[in-house]
């Protein structure tokens, strides 16, 4: 839930709101959960549907960048130490912020090590489509990292 | 730096996130869910209110139409209003049916397509309602004055007044679109006025159409 919220929201308050909204929808949807089906697939479907709707409502296209300090400061447990941001994760986040909500969901599931079949089940597209899209995303990431490195 | 390195770093991030799970559990327990619940109420309550208003309008106008059916001067404007009210009611019922059919546990593409259709329907309904309103003002005035005050506007102001109002209504529509397109950005990013301006200017319609195209492209793998 934290990762889904972090993938779709730009600031800490939005992330908190989104986590609450996901939690409420999970509770509401749970009575209809079919135990014969895998729990993670069900949970990701609910969480991603809520997150994508949230992002569209907030106008994800208006601005994609997140102030770095906001990301580093979250989650704000007073006891937690704030680690130096990993440049690889930062680059990945910058790339994710450029994607539309559906491709963000796809990349998030890929990064979370889900199989193509699981990704296809969560998103409702074919496995072949998943494979094609992931291959394109990998190419786009390579291009993005290359152009970012040239600009720095 | 390649994708596998990035993926490994992402997984490490997950391990660090595990350390904050206790925090997340506390957060969920203490969550003040008011905001989330009010966001959901915003989706269902307005169409329910609209439904009540639409049914009331259909009943009241229908009753007026029934009692003035033999008088074309009142029956005609009442019939125009009744047609608009019935169409509005049909759209509201369709919105409510769509809202009730949304199950967030369905695959992402399916639900996002349903939500986009719902948004498109809402935007189209608002756009048509706002644009047709200036034209409906004259029949509404004729019916309202007769039903509530017993005043016959044909006799009180004459046909010229009625014709002038109809023409004014037609002229208002392009002016409203022009103002909305030109000044929508000045209403702030979240205000109700900005949303209305975006609806009139056709920006909301464009955004909803783009979202549906985006989903179709994602689904087909283009």
């Amino acid at each position: 839930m934290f990762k889904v919220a972090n993938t779709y929201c730009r600031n800490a308050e939005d992330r908190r709101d989104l986590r609450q909204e996901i939690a409420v929808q999970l509770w509401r949807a749970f009575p209809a959960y079919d135990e014969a089906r895998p729990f993670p697939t069900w949970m990701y479907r609910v969480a991603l549907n809520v997150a994508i709707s949230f992002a569209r409502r907030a106008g994800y296209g208006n601005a994609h960048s997140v102030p770095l300090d906001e990301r580093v400061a979250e989650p704000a447990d007073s006891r937690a130490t704030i680690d130096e941001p990993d440049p690889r994760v930062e680059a990945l986040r910058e790339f994710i912020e450029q994607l539309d909500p559906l491709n963000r969901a796809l990349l998030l599931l890929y990064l979370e090590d889900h199989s193509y079949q699981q990704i296809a089940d969560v998103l409702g597209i074919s496995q072949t489509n998943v494979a094609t899209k992931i291959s394109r995303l990998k190419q786009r990431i390579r291009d993005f990292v290359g152009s970012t490195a040239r600009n720095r | 730096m390649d994708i596998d390195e990035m993926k490994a770093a992402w997984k490490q991030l997950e391990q660090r996130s595990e350390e904050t799970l206790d925090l997340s559990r506390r957060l969920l327990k203490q969550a003040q869910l008011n905001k989330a619940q009010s966001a959901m109420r915003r989706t269902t309550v307005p169409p329910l209110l609209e439904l009540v208003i639409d049914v009331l309008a259909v009943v009241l106008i229908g009753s007026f139409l029934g009692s003035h059916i033999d008088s074309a001067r009142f029956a005609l404007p009442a019939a125009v209003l009744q047609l608009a009210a019935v169409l509005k009611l049909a759209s509201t019922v369709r919105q409510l049916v769509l809202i009730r059919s949304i199950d967030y546990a369905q695959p992402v593409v399916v639900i996002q397509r349903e939500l986009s259709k719902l948004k498109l329907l809402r935007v189209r309904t608002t756009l048509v309602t706002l644009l047709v309103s200036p034209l409906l003002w004259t029949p509404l005035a004729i019916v309202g004055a007769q039903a509530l005050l017993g005043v016959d506007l044909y006799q009180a102001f004459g046909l010229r007044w009625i014709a002038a109002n109809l023409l004014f209504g037609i002229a208002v529509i392009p002016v409203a679109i022009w103002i909305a397109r030109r000044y929508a950005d000045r209403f702030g990013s979240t205000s109700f006025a900005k949303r209305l301006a975006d609806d009139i200017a056709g920006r909301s319609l464009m955004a909803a159409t783009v979202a549906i195209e985006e989903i179709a492209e994602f689904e087909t793998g283009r």
Side-chain angles (χ1 to χ4, degrees):
Chain A
M1 235 169 70
F2 271 80
K3 282 206 170 171
V4 171
N6 287 347
T7 304
Y8 284 93
C9 287
R10 284 174 286 167
N11 62 56
E13 196 186 341
D14 282 349
R15 280 196 287 271
R16 275 193 293 274
D17 289 350
L18 177 54
R19 285 197 298 260
Q20 286 185 9
E21 216 168 307
I22 292 172
V24 170
Q25 280 297 352
L26 286 169
W27 280 114
R28 283 162 65 117
F30 191 69
Y33 167 61
D34 176 5
E35 286 182 25
R37 300 184 70 87
F39 184 77
T41 303
W42 174 82
M43 204 183 78
Y44 266 106
R45 278 180 176 179
V46 175
L48 287 170
N49 271 317
V50 175
I52 292 171
S53 309
F54 189 95
R56 286 199 197 281
R57 237 179 14 238
Y60 76 94
N62 293 343
H64 295 299
S65 60
V66 187
L68 194 61
D69 54 340
E70 269 194 24
R71 285 200 297 241
V72 175
E74 168 82 3
D77 184 353
S78 56
R79 294 166 305 165
T81 54
I82 296 172
D83 296 323
E84 279 294 309
D86 186 322
R88 294 169 300 181
V89 174
E90 285 308 302
L92 197 52
R93 277 186 170 149
E94 275 177 39
F95 176 74
I96 287 172
E97 281 153 19
Q98 297 185 335
L99 296 175
D100 63 85
L102 290 169
N103 274 306
R104 280 189 204 194
L106 177 76
L107 187 55
L108 176 70
L109 292 166
Y110 172 73
L111 291 170
E112 295 291 304
D113 260 347
H114 290 273
S115 68
Y116 285 6
Q117 179 59 56
Q118 285 169 327
I119 296 174
D121 280 348
V122 171
L123 296 180
I125 57 177
S126 69
Q127 266 193 77
T128 320
N129 197 356
V130 171
T132 311
K133 284 184 186 308
I134 285 176
S135 160
R136 281 184 200 156
L137 279 174
K138 282 180 177 175
Q139 184 55 49
R140 281 176 65 183
I141 290 173
R142 274 192 286 273
D143 295 345
F144 176 78
V145 171
S147 69
T148 310
R150 275 195 299 277
N151 292 336
R152 278 177 184 162
Chain B
M1 187 174 3
D2 65 10
I3 182 75
D4 292 329
E5 275 184 70
M6 286 173 155
K7 201 170 171 180
W10 186 267
K11 295 300 286 179
Q12 280 172 14
L13 186 75
E14 184 177 33
Q15 280 158 13
R16 270 183 288 169
S17 298
E18 290 292 322
E19 292 160 17
T20 64
L21 263 182
D22 181 50
L23 168 69
S24 72
R25 286 197 193 98
R26 275 189 290 127
L27 183 135
L28 281 177
K29 274 184 191 165
Q30 295 164 2
Q32 294 167 350
L33 301 173
N34 299 343
K35 266 195 175 178
Q37 281 167 338
S38 68
M40 281 162 213
R41 276 198 291 270
R42 275 201 298 275
T43 316
T44 48
V45 172
L48 277 175
L49 276 177
E50 276 180 45
L51 182 70
V52 172
I53 293 167
D54 294 347
V55 168
L56 214 62
V58 168
V59 170
L60 290 175
I61 298 167
S63 154
F64 180 89
L65 184 60
S67 57
H68 292 80
I69 197 74
D70 50 351
S71 165
R73 53 206 262 129
F74 292 118
L76 192 65
V80 170
L81 288 179
Q82 184 69 332
L83 179 69
V86 167
L87 289 176
K88 178 72 177 53
L89 177 63
S91 168
T92 307
V93 169
R94 173 111 179 89
Q95 280 186 59
L96 280 168
V97 168
L98 276 173
I99 289 170
R100 288 192 70 83
S101 71
I102 288 166
D103 169 10
Y104 277 97
Q106 291 290 309
V108 170
V109 163
V110 174
I111 291 305
Q112 293 310 312
R113 194 173 45 229
E114 291 305 304
L115 288 171
S116 296
K117 276 188 202 166
L118 180 65
K119 167 112 184 178
L120 193 63
L121 180 65
R122 188 199 67 75
V123 168
R124 277 184 181 153
T125 306
T126 311
L127 183 64
V128 171
T129 307
L130 290 171
L131 293 183
V132 169
S133 296
L135 294 177
L136 292 180
W137 146 249
T138 311
L140 184 67
I142 294 168
V143 170
Q146 178 65 23
L148 302 174
L149 309 169
V151 175
D152 181 348
L153 286 189
Y154 291 100
Q155 283 185 349
F157 297 114
L159 276 173
R160 276 191 180 182
W161 181 86
I162 289 166
N165 268 283
L166 277 173
L167 287 174
F168 180 74
I170 292 168
V172 158
I173 296 169
V175 173
I177 293 172
W178 181 79
I179 290 173
R181 284 191 179 155
R182 195 168 167 84
Y183 297 107
D185 293 336
R186 299 192 184 176
F187 292 116
S189 60
T190 53
S191 74
F192 178 70
K194 163 90 167 96
R195 223 174 59 209
L196 275 188
D198 282 343
D199 284 352
I200 295 174
R203 288 181 189 171
S204 307
L205 189 66
M206 180 76 84
T209 312
V210 166
I212 286 181
E213 283 169 5
E214 229 175 64
I215 293 163
E217 270 182 34
F218 188 83
E219 207 173 0
T220 53
R222 273 182 279 153

